[in-house]
Coordinates of all heavy atoms in Angstrom, one line a residue:
K14 N 77.7 130.3 122.8 CA 76.8 131.5 122.5 C 75.9 131.1 121.3 O 74.7 131.4 121.5 CB 77.7 132.7 122.0 CG 78.6 133.3 123.1 CD 79.3 134.5 122.6 CE 80.1 134.2 121.3 NZ 81.3 133.4 121.4
T15 N 76.4 130.6 120.2 CA 75.5 130.3 119.1 C 74.5 129.3 119.4 O 73.3 129.5 119.1 CB 76.4 129.9 117.9 OG1 77.3 130.9 117.6 CG2 75.5 129.6 116.7
T16 N 74.8 128.3 120.1 CA 73.8 127.2 120.5 C 72.8 127.8 121.4 O 71.6 127.6 121.2 CB 74.6 126.1 121.2 OG1 75.5 125.5 120.3 CG2 73.6 125.0 121.6
L17 N 73.2 128.7 122.4 CA 72.2 129.3 123.3 C 71.3 130.2 122.5 O 70.0 130.1 122.7 CB 72.9 130.0 124.4 CG 72.0 130.7 125.4 CD1 71.1 129.7 126.1 CD2 72.9 131.4 126.4
V18 N 71.8 131.0 121.6 CA 71.0 132.0 120.8 C 70.0 131.1 119.9 O 68.8 131.5 119.8 CB 71.8 132.9 120.0 CG1 71.0 133.7 119.0 CG2 72.5 133.9 121.0
E19 N 70.5 130.1 119.3 CA 69.7 129.2 118.5 C 68.5 128.6 119.2 O 67.4 128.5 118.7 CB 70.6 128.1 117.9 CG 70.0 127.1 117.0 CD 70.9 126.1 116.6 OE1 71.9 125.7 117.3 OE2 70.7 125.5 115.5
K20 N 68.7 128.3 120.5 CA 67.6 127.7 121.3 C 66.7 128.8 121.8 O 65.5 128.6 122.1 CB 68.2 126.9 122.4 CG 68.9 125.6 121.9 CD 69.5 124.8 123.0 CE 70.1 123.5 122.5 NZ 70.8 122.8 123.5
L21 N 67.3 130.0 122.1 CA 66.5 131.1 122.6 C 65.5 131.7 121.6 O 64.4 132.1 122.0 CB 67.5 132.2 123.1 CG 66.9 133.4 123.8 CD1 66.0 133.0 125.0 CD2 68.0 134.3 124.2
I22 N 65.9 131.6 120.3 CA 65.0 132.2 119.3 C 63.6 131.5 119.3 O 62.6 132.2 119.5 CB 65.6 132.1 117.9 CG1 66.8 133.0 117.8 CG2 64.6 132.5 116.8 CD1 67.7 132.7 116.6
P23 N 63.5 130.2 119.2 CA 62.1 129.6 119.3 C 61.5 129.8 120.7 O 60.2 129.9 120.7 CB 62.4 128.1 119.0 CG 63.8 127.9 119.1 CD 64.5 129.2 119.0
A24 N 62.2 129.9 121.7 CA 61.6 130.1 123.1 C 61.0 131.5 123.1 O 59.9 131.6 123.7 CB 62.7 129.9 124.2
L25 N 61.6 132.5 122.5 CA 61.0 133.8 122.5 C 59.8 133.8 121.5 O 58.7 134.4 121.7 CB 62.0 134.8 122.1 CG 63.0 135.1 123.2 CD1 64.2 136.0 122.6 CD2 62.4 135.8 124.4
K26 N 60.0 133.1 120.3 CA 58.9 133.1 119.3 C 57.6 132.4 119.9 O 56.5 132.8 119.6 CB 59.4 132.4 118.1 CG 60.3 133.2 117.2 CD 60.7 132.6 115.9 CE 59.4 132.5 115.0 NZ 59.7 132.1 113.7
L27 N 57.8 131.4 120.7 CA 56.6 130.7 121.4 C 55.9 131.7 122.3 O 54.7 131.4 122.6 CB 57.1 129.5 122.2 CG 57.4 128.3 121.4 CD1 58.1 127.2 122.3 CD2 56.2 127.7 120.7
R28 N 56.5 132.8 122.7 CA 55.8 133.8 123.5 C 55.3 134.9 122.6 O 54.9 135.9 123.1 CB 56.8 134.4 124.5 CG 57.2 133.4 125.6 CD 58.5 133.8 126.3 NE 58.7 133.0 127.5 CZ 59.1 131.7 127.5 NH1 59.5 131.2 126.3 NH2 59.3 131.1 128.6
G29 N 55.2 134.6 121.3 CA 54.6 135.6 120.3 C 55.5 136.7 120.0 O 55.0 137.8 119.5
L30 N 56.8 136.6 120.2 CA 57.7 137.7 119.9 C 58.5 137.5 118.6 O 58.8 136.4 118.2 CB 58.7 137.8 121.1 CG 58.1 138.1 122.4 CD1 59.1 137.9 123.6 CD2 57.4 139.4 122.5
R31 N 58.7 138.6 117.9 CA 59.5 138.6 116.7 C 60.9 138.9 117.0 O 61.2 139.8 117.7 CB 59.0 139.6 115.7 CG 59.7 139.6 114.4 CD 59.0 140.5 113.4 NE 57.8 139.8 112.9 CZ 56.7 140.4 112.5 NH1 56.5 141.6 112.6 NH2 55.7 139.6 112.1
V32 N 61.9 138.0 116.6 CA 63.3 138.0 117.0 C 64.2 138.2 115.8 O 64.0 137.6 114.8 CB 63.6 136.7 117.7 CG1 65.1 136.7 118.2 CG2 62.7 136.5 118.9
S33 N 65.2 139.1 115.9 CA 66.2 139.2 115.0 C 67.6 139.0 115.6 O 67.7 139.0 116.9 CB 66.3 140.7 114.4 OG 65.2 140.9 113.5
V34 N 68.6 138.7 114.8 CA 69.9 138.4 115.4 C 70.9 139.3 114.6 O 70.8 139.5 113.4 CB 70.3 136.9 115.2 CG1 71.8 136.7 115.6 CG2 69.4 136.0 115.9
V35 N 71.8 139.9 115.4 CA 72.9 140.7 114.8 C 74.2 139.9 115.3 O 74.4 139.7 116.5 CB 73.0 142.1 115.4 CG1 74.3 142.8 115.0 CG2 71.8 142.9 114.8
K36 N 75.0 139.5 114.3 CA 76.1 138.6 114.6 C 77.4 139.3 114.0 O 77.4 139.7 112.9 CB 75.9 137.3 113.9 CG 77.1 136.4 113.8 CD 77.2 135.5 115.1 CE 78.2 134.4 114.9 NZ 79.5 134.8 115.5
H37 N 78.4 139.3 114.8 CA 79.7 139.8 114.4 C 80.4 138.7 113.6 O 80.4 137.5 114.0 CB 80.6 140.2 115.6 CG 81.9 140.7 115.2 ND1 83.0 140.0 115.1 CD2 82.3 142.0 114.7 CE1 84.0 140.7 114.7 NE2 83.6 141.9 114.5
A38 N 80.9 139.0 112.4 CA 81.7 138.0 111.6 C 83.1 138.5 111.5 O 83.4 139.7 111.7 CB 81.0 137.8 110.3
H39 N 83.9 137.7 111.0 CA 85.3 138.0 110.8 C 85.6 138.2 109.4 O 85.3 137.4 108.5 CB 86.2 136.9 111.4 CG 86.0 136.8 112.9 ND1 86.6 137.6 113.8 CD2 85.3 135.9 113.6 CE1 86.2 137.3 115.0 NE2 85.4 136.2 114.9
H40 N 86.2 139.3 109.1 CA 86.9 139.7 107.8 C 86.0 139.4 106.6 O 85.0 140.0 106.4 CB 88.3 139.1 107.7 CG 89.1 139.5 108.9 ND1 89.4 140.8 109.3 CD2 89.7 138.7 109.9 CE1 90.1 140.7 110.4 NE2 90.3 139.5 110.8
D41 N 86.5 138.5 105.7 CA 85.9 138.4 104.4 C 84.8 137.3 104.3 O 84.8 136.4 103.4 CB 87.0 138.0 103.4 CG 87.9 139.2 103.2 OD1 87.4 140.3 103.3 OD2 89.1 139.0 102.9
F42 N 83.9 137.3 105.3 CA 82.8 136.3 105.2 C 82.0 136.6 103.9 O 82.0 137.7 103.4 CB 81.9 136.3 106.4 CG 81.0 137.5 106.4 CD1 79.6 137.3 106.0 CD2 81.4 138.7 106.9 CE1 78.8 138.4 106.0 CE2 80.5 139.8 106.9 CZ 79.2 139.7 106.5
D43 N 81.3 135.6 103.4 CA 80.4 135.8 102.2 C 79.2 135.0 102.3 O 79.2 133.9 102.8 CB 81.2 135.4 100.9 CG 80.7 136.2 99.7 OD1 79.6 136.7 99.8 OD2 81.4 136.2 98.7
I44 N 78.0 135.6 102.0 CA 76.8 134.9 101.9 C 76.3 134.7 100.5 O 75.3 134.1 100.3 CB 75.7 135.6 102.7 CG1 75.4 137.0 102.1 CG2 76.1 135.7 104.2 CD1 74.2 137.7 102.7
D45 N 77.1 135.2 99.6 CA 76.7 135.0 98.2 C 77.5 133.9 97.5 O 78.6 133.5 98.1 CB 77.0 136.4 97.5 CG 76.1 136.7 96.3 OD1 75.2 135.8 96.0 OD2 76.1 137.8 95.8

Side-chain angles (χ1 to χ4, degrees):
K14 296 181 306 291
T15 299
T16 300
L17 181 57
V18 168
E19 180 182 27
K20 291 178 180 176
L21 184 57
I22 294 166
L25 289 169
K26 287 185 69 171
L27 282 172
R28 290 163 170 78
L30 301 168
R31 184 171 280 147
V32 180
S33 288
V34 174
V35 170
K36 168 87 170 98
H37 182 262
H39 297 283
H40 308 300
D41 291 331
F42 77 96
D43 206 341
I44 62 169
D45 212 354

